[in-house]
Each structure stands twice: as C-alpha cells, then as structure tokens.
Amino acid sequence: MVPAEVGVLRPFVDAGVFDAGEVQLCVTFARLQPGCTDEVLLALAVAGRGPRRGHVCVELAEVATLIVDQDDGGVEDLPWPEPRRWARALSGSALVSRPSEHLEQPLRPLVWDGRRLYLQRYFHDELAVAAELASRGEASRGEASPAAPGPVGAVSTAHSMLDDVLELLFGAEDPREPDLQRRAVHQALTGGLTIVAGGPGTGKTRTIARLLAAAQTLAIRQGRKCAVALAAPTGKAANRMVEAIHLAIGDTAFEDALDPAVTDSLRETTATTLHRLLGAIPGAGFRRTARDPLPHDLVVVDETSMVSLPLMARLLEALRPDATLVLVGDPSQLASIEAGSVMRDLVGPEAARGPGAGSDEGELPGPGAGSDHIEPRHRPLSGRVIALQRSHRFGDESDIAALAAAVRDGDSDGALEVLTAGRPGISWIRADDRDSVDGLRDALVSVAVEVVTAAETGNVEAGLDALGGVKVLAATRHQPFGLYDWTRRIEAGIEQAIPAFRTARRWYVGRPVVVTANDAPNRLSNGDTGLVVHRHGATAVAFPALPQVRYVSTSRLDHVETWWAMTIHRSQGSEFAHAIVSLPPVSSPILTRELFYTAVTRARQRVTVVGSEPAIRAAITRPVARASGLADRLWPIG
C-alpha cells in the first residue's frame, strides 16, 4: 500500500525500486512536515534505499544506476526528476541541511552537499571518519623522531634501537629492493596510523606478526608493557589472524631472533571481533566510546575491506588519541555487506591497480563534496599507505595469481586466456557441459565420502582436514549452481555411495557445519566450522581448536548450516587448497568483479571455475559501484 500523501512513490514501488521501509520513512516525514514536495519525498526514499545497497550517499545524476538492479527492465522509464530541478528543490527544503549546518538543531533527516545526498547519520559518520583519519595521518608525519605519538612509538627512544629491532626481525635492508613489510612495521612504530594493503599472499599477516614482535621487543627493552588489541570484522577472520601469528612463531629463525618473553607473549596472543572489542550492546550501540576509550596502545584490524563506514566510525571514536592504529586488508575484495567501501577509499590512488571506484563527472550546482572540511590538494593519508605487491603464496608465475590479476584489472580477455590455456592450477567447466559438471560432482562426492567415513570411524582430524581441502564457493544460494543446488548434489551422491546412509536427519554423522552467528556461550564465532560425530553415545560437533579438537553437543547449537558448499561472501577470510568457484547465470545482478576476485583468491593451489563465458565476462567487467564521499575527502583531486 502506498498512502496518498506519498503517491509519488507508487510507480517506483510497483517497479520494485522501493519497498515498505522507504514508504514508511517518507510517510513519517510527510506527516511531520506538511507540504513536502514530491522531489523531497522521492529524495528521502532514495537516501533510505542507498545504504541498503551499500551506498553511503547517492548522486542524483547517477540515482537510477545506483539503487536499481542493472538488469531490471523498464527502470529508465520511471519518472525520475530532472537532476537540476531536483537539486533546487532540495536546497530550499526544511528537511534538508547543507554540510555546514548538519549538526544544527533541530536535526534534519537529509544532507545535500550540492552533488551527493546523505541520510544525516551517514554524513556524520563519513565526516567523522575523514576528520579522525586526517588528524591521525597528520600526526604521523612527525617521523623525524622515532618517539612518535602514542605509547608504542614512545618505547623507541632512538632510531638506532628501532633499526636494531627491525634488522633482528627482517635481516639487513637491501637498498636496491626495499622490503615493504619492513617499511610497514617501521611506519607503524613511528606514527599513529598505518594502512597496509595487499592481495592474497603478499605477506599481510606476516607483517602483523613481525609488528607485534617488534612492538613487544621495544617495550621489553624499555621496561614497560605494550597493550595490544587484534581485531577483525568476523570471528573466522580473527581466528585466522591468530593462526598466522602462531605459524610465524613456528619459523625457527623468527623464534630464535626473539627474546623468550616476546615469544611467550605472541603465543598468548588472541584476537576478537570488532563488535566484541568495542563492547557491543544489542540495540544500544557500544560500551567503548570517547568517554570510555579502549585501553590499548596498539590496535591492529585485519580484513578491513569488510568493515562498514558506521563500524569504522565507532572504532575511531573509541581509540585513545595517542594510540597507534594499523588497518590491514585487500581493497580489491568484496566490501562490507553494510554501507561503505572503507578500505578502498582509504587506499585511494596508492594502490592504483585495484578496481575503479566510479566517475567524478556530473557535479551539480552547489558546494563541492567535502571542500569545506579538507583543503584542496591536501591529501592527509599520503605516505601512510603501504601497498604490498609481491605474492609469496602463489609466486610470480602462479596460474592463480595470473587469473586473479586479470580479474582484478577488469581484463576479461586475459582471464579467459588463462582459463583456456590448460594450466595445471586452473580448470574451467562451462555450465552447459553436463559431463564435466557430473565429473566434478563425483569428485566432490568422493571427498564427502572420505569425510563421512572418517567421522563414523572416529578419525576426526582426518575428516576436518579433508573438509578444508576442497570447497565449493557459490555466488548465490537458490539459483542453479548455487549453494543449495551443490549441497543437494553432494548429499545425493553420498547416499548413492554409502548403503543405508541418509541425510534426511539434521544431525547425521559426517555432516559438516558452519556457524552462522556469534555464539558466546559455546565460545563460537560466526564462520567457525566443524564436523558432526558420535561421542559418548550422543551426537556432537567437533570444532578444530588448539591444542586439541573441541566438542559441542548438537543440542546446544542453533545457528548452523550444512557446509558442503558456502557462499563467496561467507568465504572471506578463509582459504582452501582447491576452490571451486560456481557462478550463476549472466542475468544475476550479484555477478561482480569483486565477487569473482574474492572467490579466486580463496585458493592456495587450484581453482576450478564453473560458469558460462557470458557470466565470466559479466562478472569481470562489472565492478561494484558504491557511492561514497570518503575517498574525495581523503584524496581530493586537483
């Protein structure tokens, strides 16, 4: 139902552009502010819809392409207002404020900067993030002294001490080929803000491990402690960060170089989700704020590409002014499912090889975006971004690296050339090749039977190892070649291969599961994976843990789903020896460059792509276009 007072929305609701949420938003303000023009009501609906599609703001000249699925027919015929007339209506409305007025009382729901339209809360968050990062970036420029702002920098009282520690951890510096990981650690210990960007295998987690070792070594030499917090957007990503640090300690040369107290400190290192770090209070925000800031000297955030703009704003608000912040991630990966493309905006032109982030054309009359907050030509994050380039996981000649690079760069011809070259690490199965699809299904069933057999015979470790060896990464859940389609194929194959085996029961022995929500009572995080087994006459789920497998009764688990396949979005922060990337038909709007790149880079040794040539080309040539003003505020052009 579209009430009469917001009748302007009816054709858009009929076309599926807006739903009940946008209608109710507009009805509320239409009744609070009688006389609202149709243009302002439509702007409210657009601003409300934008964040649900990942946009922080909406540019009116681009509105039809930003909030409407690209493949929906007929949207070009909808009665969108002419942009300049629309802009004039916004400039004179009581529901719209200009940037310089956005905190004046009473607060208005919309902010219009002459080009971009925001809901007030997202404008406030964008401005706060830009201002805080700019301030930290400026404070970090005082590198003449190693005693830069923050307790971590203060433990280094001379350049010689810092250089000595870096040589201990990295070896002697080669002036002909600078070590970017070493440079990142040096920068983090001489300033308040460092951004470490890089693709898969470029050494991001290795850099984190050596940063922690350097910080603790310097602290011990100064007779003080360094309080460190490691965090990531998801529990899975947090756990992988800890695993990588423990793996680094296993490097004999690394361990031998460290003071035993530092090694012990690294072994005790834990990581948590950002929500848990900030003390999330359901429905009531976070406990940690500027009034009760985080106590840590050094805060390291991994998988920053998955952090939304509002969450980044809350993190920056909760940091002590003298704390050191290190943000780590891959700007080419999928962004947060919520609003924003923070990592890409922060990296800006420092990692020019990443996917493009839209156009600067089409500016409407009014003040330039952010022009009254950061001076033109002033780039506050310049010199604070370290872009790691060399892939240590794949090697320069890796088939996976070649495919990932072509996808990242939007080169569909190059990607198809890699897929058809017969390289040992790359396979392509066309969606209409039934024999090859059946062959792949049989190979997956063979692994699944191995997993079930291991679970039934009590060989839990072998079952868990087999599960992590190969995984189907599906772009969708419900479509052909989606998560549920592959799960049905695999479970039907197990029943054919093992007499009397049935998957109809929810907790069948051998069922792999993935946790879909944080579960504090069971000490489980969203993304944790396990295997159903018999134990003491009952069913339980075995979860890999250190120093040994941990068991949780199935009666205590609610938020889990079967894990023979997983969505590409959920796979972020994971890696598998063999990743099977399953793409939907070309008509699916979910096909994007970032989705395909993320899936390909989950593989360590082998990638199999299942999909048609049109679907592959569509994915590679369709970068995610998220509207945001953050990049312009931090990396202004001109």
Side-chain angles (χ1 to χ4, degrees):
M1 296 291 292
V2 180
E5 56 260 64
V6 293
V8 65
L9 303 184
R10 182 176 298 280
F12 299 91
V13 172
D14 291 343
V17 176
F18 303 133
D19 60 21
E22 288 82 50
V23 171
Q24 290 303 315
L25 174 68
C26 291
V27 167
T28 298
F29 283 101
R31 292 172 180 171
L32 288 173
Q33 188 72 40
C36 270
T37 65
D38 285 350
E39 289 87 354
V40 172
L41 290 174
L42 189 57
L44 269 170
V46 164
R49 184 65 170 175
R52 296 173 62 185
R53 299 186 66 86
H55 305 301
V56 174
C57 56
V58 176
E59 298 185 31
L60 297 189
E62 308 276 340
V63 64
T65 58
L66 289 174
I67 68 168
V68 179
D69 288 338
Q70 297 180 30
D71 297 294
D72 284 353
V75 295
E76 65 276 2
D77 298 326
L78 290 172
W80 298 106
E82 191 277 323
R84 293 182 182 274
R85 178 168 61 86
W86 205 352
R88 286 192 295 270
L90 291 173
S91 298
S93 173
L95 295 181
V96 182
S97 64
R98 294 170 66 87
S100 59
E101 307 165 340
H102 82 282
L103 291 179
E104 292 183 2
Q105 296 292 332
L107 292 178
R108 303 177 184 184
L110 296 176
V111 177
W112 168 241
D113 71 1
R115 173 182 171 184
R116 301 182 176 101
L117 179 70
Y118 297 80
L119 287 178
Q120 201 273 349
R121 59 168 288 201
Y122 287 99
F123 181 81
H124 176 78
D125 283 346
E126 182 177 284
L127 215 61
V129 168
E132 181 65 21
L133 289 173
S135 174
R136 288 179 177 274
E138 285 301 312
S140 298
R141 294 182 189 281
E143 199 174 338
S145 167
V152 176
V155 300
S156 176
T157 57
H159 278 291
S160 58
M161 179 179 290
L162 177 57
D163 291 341
D164 179 55
V165 171
L166 293 177
E167 185 163 342
L168 188 71
L169 296 171
F170 291 94
E173 175 117 54
D174 184 349
R176 297 168 301 175
E177 187 175 3
D179 186 336
L180 294 181
Q181 295 180 32
R182 178 188 184 127
R183 183 175 296 177
V185 173
H186 179 277
Q187 182 167 293
L189 294 176
T190 55
L193 174 67
T194 296
I195 300 160
V196 182
T202 52
K204 298 188 295 296
T205 51
R206 181 179 185 270
T207 302
I208 293 174
R210 279 157 175 74
L211 168 62
L212 298 183
Q216 296 294 2
T217 299
L218 288 171
I220 287 174
R221 292 186 179 187
Q222 289 296 313
R224 55 178 298 162
K225 291 187 177 181
C226 176
V228 176
L230 301 182
T234 67
K236 181 71 171 179
N239 291 340
R240 282 196 55 78
M241 183 163 38
V242 173
E243 291 171 4
I245 292 170
H246 288 166
L247 187 63
I249 298 172
D251 182 336
T252 304
F254 180 58
E255 184 175 5
D256 290 346
L258 299 177
D259 184 294
V262 174
T263 304
D264 292 341
S265 174
L266 292 179
R267 286 201 178 97
E268 295 171 0
T269 296
T270 60
T272 186
T273 64
L274 280 168
H275 282 80
R276 193 169 294 173
L277 176 69
L278 296 174
I281 305 170
F286 297 95
R287 183 170 65 86
R288 294 293 186 179
T289 64
R291 294 182 178 180
D292 183 17
L294 292 167
H296 306 95
D297 305 314
L298 170 64
V299 176
V300 181
V301 180
D302 198 12
E303 297 288 355
T304 305
S305 65
M306 299 166 65
V307 179
S308 68
L309 177 73
L311 185 56
M312 181 58 69
R314 304 293 83 76
L315 171 65
L316 293 171
E317 178 186 347
L319 288 177
R320 296 197 329 250
D322 61 344
T324 293
L325 175 64
V326 180
L327 301 173
V328 183
D330 184 347
S332 298
Q333 281 191 20
L334 283 166
S336 165
I337 60 173
E338 300 178 52
S341 52
V342 173
M343 186 65 184
R344 189 179 304 167
D345 291 345
L346 266 56
V347 169
E350 298 290 299
R353 294 196 306 167
S359 169
D360 291 308
E361 299 176 359
E363 184 166 348
L364 299 172
S371 60
D372 52 345
H373 304 290
I374 295 177
E375 297 177 4
R377 297 188 180 89
H378 178 60
R379 297 183 166 188
L381 298 191
S382 181
R384 304 315 304 169
V385 179
I386 302 292
L388 305 178
Q389 301 291 346
R390 179 180 297 177
S391 176
H392 302 276
R393 181 192 303 174
F394 303 134
D396 294 337
E397 303 302 320
S398 163
D399 304 331
I400 299 174
L403 178 59
V407 174
R408 181 198 62 212
D409 296 340
D411 182 2
S412 58
D413 289 337
L416 287 165
E417 182 179 338
V418 174
L419 288 170
T420 56
R423 301 189 183 199
I426 303 290
S427 303
W428 176 23
I429 296 176
R430 291 164 176 80
D432 59 358
D433 184 349
R434 295 185 60 179
D435 289 342
S436 295
V437 171
D438 288 344
L440 177 60
R441 178 258 197 185
D442 291 344
L444 290 167
V445 169
S446 178
V447 174
V449 168
E450 180 183 343
V451 170
V452 170
T453 301
E456 289 180 333
T457 58
N459 195 349
V460 177
E461 288 82 1
L464 291 170
D465 286 345
L467 275 176
V470 58
K471 191 62 57 184
V472 175
L473 310 181
T476 63
R477 288 179 174 270
H478 296 280
Q479 291 182 312
F481 298 110
L483 183 151
Y484 298 134
D485 186 9
W486 279 110
T487 299
R488 285 191 296 269
R489 292 171 188 253
I490 293 169
E491 290 188 334
I494 302 171
E495 292 183 348
Q496 290 176 349
I498 303 178
F501 185 85
R502 294 292 178 267
T503 59
R505 293 194 324 163
R506 184 186 184 197
W507 296 111
Y508 63 83
V509 173
R511 178 195 178 201
V513 297
V514 57
V515 178
T516 58
N518 290 332
D519 182 356
N522 289 315
R523 292 182 290 126
L524 295 172
S525 297
N526 188 350
D528 285 346
T529 56
L531 181 64
V532 178
V533 297
H534 270 309
R535 189 165 188 264
H536 303 319
T539 54
V541 179
F543 290 95
L546 295 174
Q548 59 188 3
V549 172
R550 191 164 65 87
Y551 297 89
V552 179
S553 171
T554 56
S555 64
R556 297 177 58 187
L557 296 171
D558 290 323
H559 303 289
V560 298
E561 63 181 28
T562 303
W563 192 53
W564 295 119
M566 68 192 307
T567 63
I568 295 171
H569 278 84
R570 186 174 290 281
S571 74
Q572 285 183 273
S574 301
E575 61 178 57
F576 306 95
H578 181 189
I580 298 169
V581 182
S582 187
L583 301 179
V586 66
S587 59
S588 174
I590 200 171
L591 277 173
T592 64
R593 182 183 304 168
E594 290 79 2
L595 184 89
F596 196 13
Y597 172 85
T598 299
V600 167
T601 56
R602 298 310 89 206
R604 291 193 306 271
Q605 300 170 8
R606 185 179 174 191
V607 169
T608 297
V609 177
V610 181
S612 67
E613 179 176 335
I616 292 171
R617 288 189 178 276
I620 294 173
T621 58
R622 189 188 292 166
V624 171
R626 286 199 167 184
S628 164
L630 183 60
D632 279 359
R633 297 180 191 281
L634 297 173
W635 302 97
I637 298 173

